[in-house]
Amino acid sequence: MSGRWWGTRFVTAVVVLAAGLTAVVTSSPEPAVALDNGLARTPPMGFNNWNTTHCRADFNEAMVKGIADIFVSRGLKDAGYQYVNLDDCWALPQRNSQGNLVPDPARFPNGIKSLADYVHSKGLKFGIYTSAGTKTCNTAGFPGGLGHEQDDANLFASWGVDYLKYDNCNNQGVDAQKRYTAMRDALRNTGRPIVYSICEWGRTGPPRVWEWGKPVGNLWRTTGDISDNWTSMIGKAQANRVLAQYAGPGHWNDPDMLEVGNGGMTPTEYRTHFSLWAIMSAPLLIGSDLRKVNEDTFTILKNTDVIAIDQDKLGRQATVISSSGGLVVYGKVLANGDRAVALSNETTSTATIGTTAAALGLGGSSSYTLKDLWSKAIRTTTGSISASVPAHGTVLYRVSRAGTTTRHEAEAATFTTGTTVDKDHSGFSGLGFANTPNAVGSYVQWTVERAEAGRATLVFDYANGTSTDRPMTIAANGTPSATAKSFPGTGAWSLWRTAHLTVDLKAGTNVIRATATNSGGAPNLDYLEVATP
Ligand code: GLA
């Protein structure tokens, strides 16, 4: 990461035009390619009162302090929940004579700064809300930030705010990118690190917020508001799960806050909700009043195995592996090479849902371990991954390849002159990925030590954002594969997949070279894993 958080910079880009022509474009100044505030490297976790209180009077200082206390006393802080956030209706309907927002004295008799101090004293972080419009969303709401961006950002920073949710109501038809960029800049100008949550609901465009949000915010709502029922919740999941290519460290898709514990869904449905949010790398903002919920709610919210799927530092949102008749398989690549897989039953009857380790990109081994992240049962399989899943239920597994696997990053390999180590497409492991020249013969070459001679599976993690295959010949110690290995399009440069093949390696030093056989060059290469079969 650059040492600068928010700087603009002059951008010189070589643009490859569709016709194969190249043009050098210099524009100035341009925002950095991602909102480089160093925040939300994993999806934010915390609390927001909206789903449980809306604007009712029980949204007040006692409640917010109570939640902060429970975060500590019930181990939620230890499980990773950090942000304690206020939603709409915390302020009075009028600004004061200085033009500042005024905390509602009935709800917050000691103001917001003292509440933020309290939350901070617990080792937690504090968040607030306003709208990119003239007024917030609720009829009992308060004046929004449109045209007041810097004053409001300054006020929030002076109170110690660490997170801002910026809503979309009463926006007067002003262009969304313009409104949300204005607040980004205002937050930047305060000098305080503030997670910036764009709440535009995926409403306007094209371009849609997921297409322009990366340099603007740390997360963006992809849907309208969630309600505490199955149909609403699964609808949000369905809309959000096709957007994997847009998510990554510092810039997340947000299918809205959690309803777990609010009482409108069954425990099975709430486990599905939590499982799908986790596998989709969604923010985990608890939306129930933890002072009143039952133990089942804590059991769901504190499932650290499931939280680890959400918080996995590689930051790749799951993609849909298969979907048929309401039986949906989601797969997510994890930082250590394991996969998370969700077998999700959207129908009203029990069904068997299955996939394979190979379909998850984990092929090439004779044995895999499956850990059920809800029942905690562990079993092994030769590759089939299948379960009987109740109506509206989800079975969530962590899948590991048996045997030993060693990873060799592409950026640490040797490669054709002209190759660059890039990081502009998220989801890569290590420090970046190798981007070779678009030419036949472009290669990346790894040196791999083996203790013993024998068969090994080579796993190449790659992205190909074109729709044209980028085949490569794979040579182990100078002996090329009989045919070129296919590296077909992955759908986007930020969608990574694996290709594998089995070779014989010798004891000692082995040289593995992947060489492009067509004029597109190699796909972007993230790493090579060498696994015992
Ligand atoms: C909008 C947002 C909700 C909530 C309400 C508050 O509907 O999408 O998440 O913040 O406003 O009024």
Side-chain angles (χ1 to χ4, degrees):
M1 194 173 60
S2 79
R4 237 175 3 172
W5 278 17
W6 297 85
T8 54
R9 62 181 188 184
F10 291 82
V11 176
T12 302
V14 179
V15 178
V16 182
L17 303 171
L21 305 165
T22 34
V24 177
V25 180
T26 304
S27 60
S28 61
E30 284 289 331
V33 289
L35 173 60
D36 199 8
N37 62 2
L39 301 173
R41 302 306 296 169
T42 60
M45 293 176 64
F47 168 83
N48 173 299
N49 64 284
W50 182 255
N51 285 348
T52 175
T53 64
H54 287 206
C55 291
R56 286 195 317 269
D58 56 335
F59 167 47
N60 59 22
E61 178 181 298
M63 180 208 197
V64 178
K65 285 186 168 175
I67 298 294
D69 293 344
I70 291 171
F71 266 22
V72 176
S73 66
R74 294 299 312 267
L76 291 146
K77 179 186 173 194
D78 289 341
Y81 295 93
Q82 191 180 20
Y83 291 94
V84 178
N85 296 351
L86 312 187
D87 209 280
D88 201 355
C89 301
W90 61 263
L92 289 179
Q94 256 74 50
R95 292 177 181 268
N96 67 14
S97 54
Q98 287 87 53
N100 283 330
L101 296 169
V102 184
D104 179 344
R107 298 177 193 272
F108 300 104
N110 299 297
I112 300 296
K113 167 103 176 48
S114 86
L115 183 57
D117 289 347
Y118 184 85
V119 170
H120 289 149
S121 77
K122 302 278 167 182
L124 299 166
K125 292 190 183 295
F126 181 76
I128 209 160
Y129 161 100
T130 185
S131 182
T134 50
K135 193 175 178 304
T136 60
C137 290
N138 196 272
T139 45
F142 60 88
L146 189 64
H148 296 264
E149 290 86 356
Q150 196 62 60
D151 286 346
D152 290 353
N154 290 348
L155 186 66
F156 299 153
S158 77
W159 288 343
V161 164
D162 307 299
Y163 185 115
L164 175 66
K165 172 179 172 180
Y166 202 37
D167 213 336
N168 193 34
C169 286
N170 303 299
N171 60 50
Q172 309 303 315
V174 181
D175 173 71
Q177 283 189 67
K178 202 172 155 205
R179 288 180 292 117
Y180 285 94
T181 304
M183 183 56 88
R184 173 200 67 184
D185 293 343
L187 294 173
R188 169 198 65 203
N189 293 339
T190 69
R192 186 175 173 86
I194 299 176
V195 171
Y196 184 31
S197 160
I198 298 175
C199 182
E200 188 268 353
W201 319 311
R203 182 63 59 86
T204 56
R208 307 290 289 274
V209 63
W210 42 88
E211 294 167 303
W212 56 258
K214 187 176 170 189
V216 180
N218 294 115
L219 61 157
W220 47 80
R221 282 274 296 277
T222 55
T223 66
D225 290 5
I226 195 170
S227 309
D228 186 20
N229 63 71
W230 167 261
T231 306
S232 172
M233 182 278 291
I234 205 67
K236 307 300 165 217
Q238 289 161 348
N240 196 71
R241 70 189 179 208
V242 297
L243 300 174
Q245 73 184 86
Y246 302 105
H251 53 99
W252 308 101
N253 291 314
D254 174 6
D256 207 358
M257 303 173 290
L258 297 170
E259 292 282 8
V260 177
N262 282 332
M265 289 182 249
T266 66
T268 298
E269 292 169 340
Y270 280 141
R271 282 193 294 274
T272 288
H273 183 12
F274 201 66
S275 299
L276 297 185
W277 264 236
I279 205 164
M280 293 192 298
S281 312
L284 299 178
L285 292 172
I286 296 168
S288 54
D289 189 342
L290 297 174
R291 298 171 305 169
K292 300 173 184 162
V293 298
N294 58 24
E295 279 308 306
D296 278 357
T297 300
F298 284 106
T299 306
I300 293 172
L301 296 173
K302 286 168 59 178
N303 187 326
T304 49
D305 286 325
V306 180
I307 291 170
I309 301 304
D310 182 75
Q311 295 292 301
D312 185 80
K313 67 182 195 306
L314 198 58
R316 293 188 193 172
Q317 177 175 329
T319 56
V320 176
I321 306 297
S322 65
S323 175
S324 170
L327 307 179
V328 188
V329 177
Y330 300 71
K332 173 173 178 161
V333 183
L334 302 172
N336 73 345
D338 288 354
R339 303 296 193 271
V341 58
L343 309 175
S344 190
N345 183 356
E346 298 179 357
T347 77
T348 50
S349 11
T350 299
T352 298
I353 306 179
T355 186
T356 61
L360 297 169
L362 253 194
S365 182
S366 52
S367 178
Y368 303 86
T369 303
L370 299 183
K371 181 174 181 185
D372 182 321
L373 302 186
W374 290 107
S375 77
K376 311 297 179 185
I378 294 174
R379 62 187 170 94
T380 58
T381 164
T382 56
S384 160
I385 299 169
S386 170
S388 171
V389 187
H392 291 185
T394 296
V395 170
L396 187 63
Y397 290 123
R398 187 174 184 122
V399 188
S400 322
R401 186 189 270 113
T404 56
T405 301
T406 55
R407 183 174 297 185
H408 308 267
E409 296 290 346
E411 64 272 23
T414 55
F415 23 67
T416 323
T417 307
T419 298
T420 53
V421 173
D422 292 346
K423 24 173 103 193
D424 52 340
H425 304 296
S426 62
F428 57 81
S429 154
L431 302 174
F433 53 87
N435 177 2
T436 69
N438 300 107
V440 174
S442 285
Y443 69 86
V444 176
Q445 177 175 302
W446 289 267
T447 302
V448 172
E449 299 295 331
R450 302 292 288 172
E452 291 170 19
R455 298 292 278 169
T457 300
L458 304 182
V459 181
F460 296 90
D461 191 53
Y462 80 98
N464 175 0
T466 75
S467 50
T468 309
D469 192 9
R470 294 201 170 179
M472 292 193 288
T473 301
I474 312 298
N477 299 318
T479 308
S481 48
T483 54
K485 182 83 191 158
S486 182
F487 289 80
T490 55
W493 291 111
S494 57
L495 289 178
W496 304 85
R497 225 182 266 165
T498 53
H500 33 85
L501 75 161
T502 302
V503 296
D504 287 314
L505 296 181
K506 58 187 187 187
T509 303
N510 293 270
V511 175
I512 315 284
R513 184 188 281 226
T515 308
T517 61
N518 85 5
S519 58
N524 285 344
L525 286 164
D526 184 22
Y527 59 77
L528 164 68
E529 278 179 347
V530 182
T532 51

Short mmCIF file of all heavy atoms in Angstrom, two decimals, residues 89-128:
data_model
loop_
_atom_site.label_atom_id
_atom_site.label_comp_id
_atom_site.label_asym_id
_atom_site.label_seq_id
_atom_site.Cartn_x
_atom_site.Cartn_y
_atom_site.Cartn_z
N CYS A 89 -32.46 9.07 12.83
CA CYS A 89 -33.26 9.59 13.95
C CYS A 89 -32.46 9.89 15.21
O CYS A 89 -33.05 10.08 16.28
CB CYS A 89 -34.45 8.69 14.27
SG CYS A 89 -35.55 8.48 12.86
N TRP A 90 -31.15 9.97 15.10
CA TRP A 90 -30.35 10.36 16.28
C TRP A 90 -30.34 11.88 16.48
O TRP A 90 -29.99 12.36 17.55
CB TRP A 90 -28.92 9.81 16.21
CG TRP A 90 -28.11 10.31 15.03
CD1 TRP A 90 -27.92 9.67 13.85
CD2 TRP A 90 -27.40 11.55 14.94
NE1 TRP A 90 -27.14 10.43 13.01
CE2 TRP A 90 -26.81 11.59 13.66
CE3 TRP A 90 -27.20 12.63 15.81
CZ2 TRP A 90 -26.03 12.67 13.22
CZ3 TRP A 90 -26.43 13.71 15.38
CH2 TRP A 90 -25.85 13.72 14.09
N ALA A 91 -30.73 12.64 15.40
CA ALA A 91 -30.62 14.11 15.48
C ALA A 91 -32.00 14.76 15.47
O ALA A 91 -33.00 14.14 15.14
CB ALA A 91 -29.80 14.63 14.30
N LEU A 92 -32.01 16.02 15.82
CA LEU A 92 -33.25 16.81 15.76
C LEU A 92 -33.56 17.19 14.30
O LEU A 92 -32.65 17.27 13.47
CB LEU A 92 -33.09 18.09 16.60
CG LEU A 92 -33.06 17.90 18.12
CD1 LEU A 92 -32.87 19.25 18.81
CD2 LEU A 92 -34.35 17.21 18.59
N PRO A 93 -34.82 17.48 14.01
CA PRO A 93 -35.20 17.79 12.63
C PRO A 93 -34.65 19.12 12.10
O PRO A 93 -34.75 19.40 10.92
CB PRO A 93 -36.73 17.84 12.67
CG PRO A 93 -37.14 17.27 13.97
CD PRO A 93 -35.98 17.34 14.89
N GLN A 94 -34.06 19.94 12.98
CA GLN A 94 -33.49 21.20 12.52
C GLN A 94 -32.02 21.31 12.91
O GLN A 94 -31.63 20.84 13.99
CB GLN A 94 -34.23 22.38 13.15
CG GLN A 94 -35.20 23.09 12.20
CD GLN A 94 -36.46 22.29 11.96
OE1 GLN A 94 -37.07 21.85 12.91
NE2 GLN A 94 -36.81 22.06 10.70
N ARG A 95 -31.25 21.96 12.04
CA ARG A 95 -29.88 22.33 12.42
C ARG A 95 -29.92 23.48 13.43
O ARG A 95 -30.94 24.17 13.52
CB ARG A 95 -29.10 22.76 11.17
CG ARG A 95 -28.85 21.61 10.20
CD ARG A 95 -28.13 22.06 8.93
NE ARG A 95 -27.95 20.89 8.05
CZ ARG A 95 -26.87 20.11 8.06
NH1 ARG A 95 -25.85 20.39 8.86
NH2 ARG A 95 -26.81 19.05 7.28
N ASN A 96 -28.83 23.72 14.14
CA ASN A 96 -28.80 24.86 15.08
C ASN A 96 -28.42 26.14 14.34
O ASN A 96 -28.23 26.13 13.11
CB ASN A 96 -27.88 24.56 16.27
CG ASN A 96 -26.41 24.45 15.87
OD1 ASN A 96 -26.03 24.85 14.76
ND2 ASN A 96 -25.60 23.92 16.76
N SER A 97 -28.27 27.22 15.07
CA SER A 97 -28.02 28.52 14.42
C SER A 97 -26.66 28.56 13.73
O SER A 97 -26.44 29.34 12.82
CB SER A 97 -28.14 29.65 15.44
OG SER A 97 -27.29 29.37 16.53
N GLN A 98 -25.75 27.67 14.14
CA GLN A 98 -24.46 27.59 13.42
C GLN A 98 -24.54 26.66 12.20
O GLN A 98 -23.57 26.45 11.50
CB GLN A 98 -23.35 27.05 14.33
CG GLN A 98 -22.86 28.03 15.40
CD GLN A 98 -23.69 27.95 16.67
OE1 GLN A 98 -23.87 26.88 17.23
NE2 GLN A 98 -24.26 29.08 17.09
N GLY A 99 -25.70 26.08 12.02
CA GLY A 99 -25.85 25.17 10.88
C GLY A 99 -25.45 23.74 11.18
O GLY A 99 -25.36 22.91 10.28
N ASN A 100 -25.21 23.43 12.45
CA ASN A 100 -24.77 22.07 12.80
C ASN A 100 -25.94 21.16 13.17
O ASN A 100 -26.96 21.62 13.67
CB ASN A 100 -23.81 22.11 13.98
CG ASN A 100 -22.42 22.55 13.56
OD1 ASN A 100 -22.00 22.30 12.42
ND2 ASN A 100 -21.72 23.22 14.45
N LEU A 101 -25.75 19.88 12.94
CA LEU A 101 -26.71 18.88 13.39
C LEU A 101 -26.70 18.84 14.91
O LEU A 101 -25.65 19.01 15.55
CB LEU A 101 -26.32 17.50 12.83
CG LEU A 101 -26.38 17.39 11.31
CD1 LEU A 101 -25.73 16.08 10.84
CD2 LEU A 101 -27.83 17.47 10.82
N VAL A 102 -27.87 18.57 15.49
CA VAL A 102 -28.00 18.57 16.95
C VAL A 102 -28.54 17.21 17.41
O VAL A 102 -29.61 16.80 16.98
CB VAL A 102 -28.99 19.67 17.42
CG1 VAL A 102 -29.03 19.71 18.94
CG2 VAL A 102 -28.62 21.01 16.83
N PRO A 103 -27.80 16.52 18.26
CA PRO A 103 -28.30 15.24 18.78
C PRO A 103 -29.64 15.44 19.49
O PRO A 103 -29.82 16.43 20.20
CB PRO A 103 -27.21 14.80 19.76
CG PRO A 103 -25.99 15.55 19.36
CD PRO A 103 -26.46 16.84 18.75
N ASP A 104 -30.56 14.51 19.29
CA ASP A 104 -31.86 14.56 19.95
C ASP A 104 -31.63 14.42 21.47
O ASP A 104 -31.17 13.37 21.94
CB ASP A 104 -32.71 13.41 19.41
CG ASP A 104 -34.09 13.35 20.06
OD1 ASP A 104 -34.29 13.99 21.11
OD2 ASP A 104 -34.95 12.65 19.50
N PRO A 105 -31.96 15.46 22.27
CA PRO A 105 -31.63 15.40 23.70
C PRO A 105 -32.48 14.38 24.47
O PRO A 105 -32.07 13.94 25.55
CB PRO A 105 -31.93 16.83 24.19
CG PRO A 105 -32.84 17.42 23.17
CD PRO A 105 -32.58 16.73 21.88
N ALA A 106 -33.61 14.00 23.89
CA ALA A 106 -34.41 12.97 24.58
C ALA A 106 -33.73 11.61 24.47
O ALA A 106 -33.70 10.83 25.43
CB ALA A 106 -35.81 12.92 23.97
N ARG A 107 -33.16 11.34 23.31
CA ARG A 107 -32.49 10.04 23.13
C ARG A 107 -31.06 10.07 23.68
O ARG A 107 -30.59 9.08 24.26
CB ARG A 107 -32.39 9.70 21.64
CG ARG A 107 -33.70 9.53 20.92
CD ARG A 107 -33.39 9.26 19.44
NE ARG A 107 -34.57 9.37 18.60
CZ ARG A 107 -35.41 8.37 18.34
NH1 ARG A 107 -35.20 7.17 18.85
NH2 ARG A 107 -36.45 8.57 17.55
N PHE A 108 -30.38 11.17 23.43
CA PHE A 108 -28.95 11.25 23.75
C PHE A 108 -28.68 12.47 24.63
O PHE A 108 -28.10 13.47 24.19
CB PHE A 108 -28.12 11.28 22.46
CG PHE A 108 -28.34 10.05 21.62
CD1 PHE A 108 -29.13 10.10 20.48
CD2 PHE A 108 -27.80 8.83 22.00
CE1 PHE A 108 -29.37 8.96 19.73
CE2 PHE A 108 -28.03 7.68 21.26
CZ PHE A 108 -28.82 7.75 20.12
N PRO A 109 -29.11 12.40 25.89
CA PRO A 109 -29.03 13.57 26.77
C PRO A 109 -27.59 14.05 26.98
O PRO A 109 -27.37 15.22 27.30
CB PRO A 109 -29.65 13.07 28.09
CG PRO A 109 -29.66 11.58 27.99
CD PRO A 109 -29.73 11.25 26.54
N ASN A 110 -26.62 13.18 26.81
CA ASN A 110 -25.22 13.58 27.00
C ASN A 110 -24.50 13.83 25.67
O ASN A 110 -23.28 13.91 25.63
CB ASN A 110 -24.49 12.52 27.80
CG ASN A 110 -25.11 12.35 29.18
OD1 ASN A 110 -25.11 13.28 29.97
ND2 ASN A 110 -25.71 11.20 29.42
N GLY A 111 -25.29 13.92 24.60
CA GLY A 111 -24.68 14.19 23.30
C GLY A 111 -24.06 12.94 22.69
O GLY A 111 -24.10 11.84 23.26
N ILE A 112 -23.47 13.13 21.53
CA ILE A 112 -22.89 11.99 20.80
C ILE A 112 -21.43 11.79 21.19
O ILE A 112 -20.96 10.66 21.29
CB ILE A 112 -23.02 12.21 19.28
CG1 ILE A 112 -24.51 12.33 18.88
CG2 ILE A 112 -22.37 11.06 18.52
CD1 ILE A 112 -25.36 11.11 19.10
N LYS A 113 -20.72 12.87 21.45
CA LYS A 113 -19.28 12.72 21.77
C LYS A 113 -19.10 11.84 23.01
O LYS A 113 -18.25 10.95 23.03
CB LYS A 113 -18.68 14.12 21.99
CG LYS A 113 -17.30 14.14 22.62
CD LYS A 113 -16.24 14.43 21.58
CE LYS A 113 -14.83 14.57 22.11
NZ LYS A 113 -14.39 13.52 23.01
N SER A 114 -19.93 12.06 24.03
CA SER A 114 -19.76 11.27 25.26
C SER A 114 -20.10 9.80 24.99
O SER A 114 -19.49 8.90 25.57
CB SER A 114 -20.60 11.84 26.40
OG SER A 114 -21.91 11.32 26.37
N LEU A 115 -21.06 9.57 24.09
CA LEU A 115 -21.41 8.19 23.74
C LEU A 115 -20.26 7.52 22.96
O LEU A 115 -19.89 6.38 23.23
CB LEU A 115 -22.70 8.19 22.91
CG LEU A 115 -23.26 6.84 22.52
CD1 LEU A 115 -23.52 5.96 23.74
CD2 LEU A 115 -24.56 7.01 21.71
N ALA A 116 -19.70 8.28 22.04
CA ALA A 116 -18.55 7.75 21.29
C ALA A 116 -17.39 7.46 22.24
O ALA A 116 -16.72 6.43 22.12
CB ALA A 116 -18.12 8.75 20.21
N ASP A 117 -17.19 8.35 23.21
CA ASP A 117 -16.12 8.12 24.21
C ASP A 117 -16.38 6.82 24.98
O ASP A 117 -15.46 6.05 25.25
CB ASP A 117 -16.04 9.29 25.20
CG ASP A 117 -15.48 10.56 24.57
OD1 ASP A 117 -14.93 10.48 23.45
OD2 ASP A 117 -15.60 11.63 25.21
N TYR A 118 -17.64 6.62 25.33
CA TYR A 118 -18.00 5.40 26.07
C TYR A 118 -17.68 4.16 25.23
O TYR A 118 -17.05 3.20 25.71
CB TYR A 118 -19.48 5.42 26.44
CG TYR A 118 -19.89 4.24 27.29
CD1 TYR A 118 -19.73 4.27 28.68
CD2 TYR A 118 -20.39 3.07 26.71
CE1 TYR A 118 -20.07 3.17 29.46
CE2 TYR A 118 -20.74 1.98 27.48
CZ TYR A 118 -20.57 2.03 28.85
OH TYR A 118 -20.90 0.95 29.62
N VAL A 119 -18.11 4.19 23.98
CA VAL A 119 -17.86 3.05 23.09
C VAL A 119 -16.35 2.82 22.94
O VAL A 119 -15.86 1.70 23.03
CB VAL A 119 -18.56 3.28 21.73
CG1 VAL A 119 -18.13 2.24 20.70
CG2 VAL A 119 -20.09 3.25 21.91
N HIS A 120 -15.63 3.91 22.75
CA HIS A 120 -14.16 3.79 22.62
C HIS A 120 -13.53 3.24 23.89
O HIS A 120 -12.55 2.49 23.83
CB HIS A 120 -13.56 5.16 22.29
CG HIS A 120 -13.87 5.64 20.91
ND1 HIS A 120 -14.01 6.95 20.57
CD2 HIS A 120 -14.09 4.95 19.76
CE1 HIS A 120 -14.29 7.07 19.29
NE2 HIS A 120 -14.35 5.87 18.77
N SER A 121 -14.10 3.61 25.06
CA SER A 121 -13.51 3.14 26.32
C SER A 121 -13.61 1.62 26.45
O SER A 121 -12.90 1.01 27.24
CB SER A 121 -14.20 3.82 27.51
OG SER A 121 -15.48 3.22 27.75
N LYS A 122 -14.50 1.02 25.66
CA LYS A 122 -14.63 -0.45 25.66
C LYS A 122 -13.72 -1.09 24.63
O LYS A 122 -13.83 -2.30 24.35
CB LYS A 122 -16.08 -0.83 25.33
CG LYS A 122 -17.11 -0.25 26.29
CD LYS A 122 -17.22 -1.11 27.52
CE LYS A 122 -17.98 -0.41 28.62
NZ LYS A 122 -18.05 -1.21 29.84
N GLY A 123 -12.91 -0.28 23.98
CA GLY A 123 -12.04 -0.83 22.93
C GLY A 123 -12.79 -1.09 21.64
O GLY A 123 -12.34 -1.89 20.80
N LEU A 124 -13.93 -0.42 21.47
CA LEU A 124 -14.74 -0.60 20.26
C LEU A 124 -14.71 0.68 19.43
O LEU A 124 -14.14 1.68 19.84
CB LEU A 124 -16.18 -0.92 20.68
CG LEU A 124 -16.34 -2.21 21.50
CD1 LEU A 124 -17.72 -2.28 22.15
CD2 LEU A 124 -16.09 -3.45 20.64
N LYS A 125 -15.33 0.64 18.28
CA LYS A 125 -15.38 1.81 17.41
C LYS A 125 -16.83 2.26 17.24
O LYS A 125 -17.77 1.48 17.44
CB LYS A 125 -14.72 1.50 16.06
CG LYS A 125 -13.21 1.29 16.21
CD LYS A 125 -12.52 1.23 14.88
CE LYS A 125 -11.03 0.95 15.02
NZ LYS A 125 -10.31 2.04 15.70
N PHE A 126 -16.97 3.52 16.84
CA PHE A 126 -18.28 4.16 16.87
C PHE A 126 -18.67 4.66 15.48
O PHE A 126 -17.86 5.29 14.79
CB PHE A 126 -18.24 5.33 17.85
CG PHE A 126 -19.54 6.06 17.98
CD1 PHE A 126 -20.58 5.52 18.71
CD2 PHE A 126 -19.73 7.28 17.34
CE1 PHE A 126 -21.80 6.19 18.82
CE2 PHE A 126 -20.94 7.95 17.44
CZ PHE A 126 -21.98 7.40 18.18
N GLY A 127 -19.93 4.40 15.10
CA GLY A 127 -20.37 4.82 13.77
C GLY A 127 -21.64 5.64 13.82
O GLY A 127 -22.43 5.56 14.77
N ILE A 128 -21.84 6.43 12.77
CA ILE A 128 -23.01 7.31 12.70
C ILE A 128 -23.59 7.26 11.30
O ILE A 128 -23.04 6.61 10.40
CB ILE A 128 -22.63 8.74 13.17
CG1 ILE A 128 -23.84 9.43 13.79
CG2 ILE A 128 -22.00 9.55 12.05
CD1 ILE A 128 -23.45 10.59 14.69
#
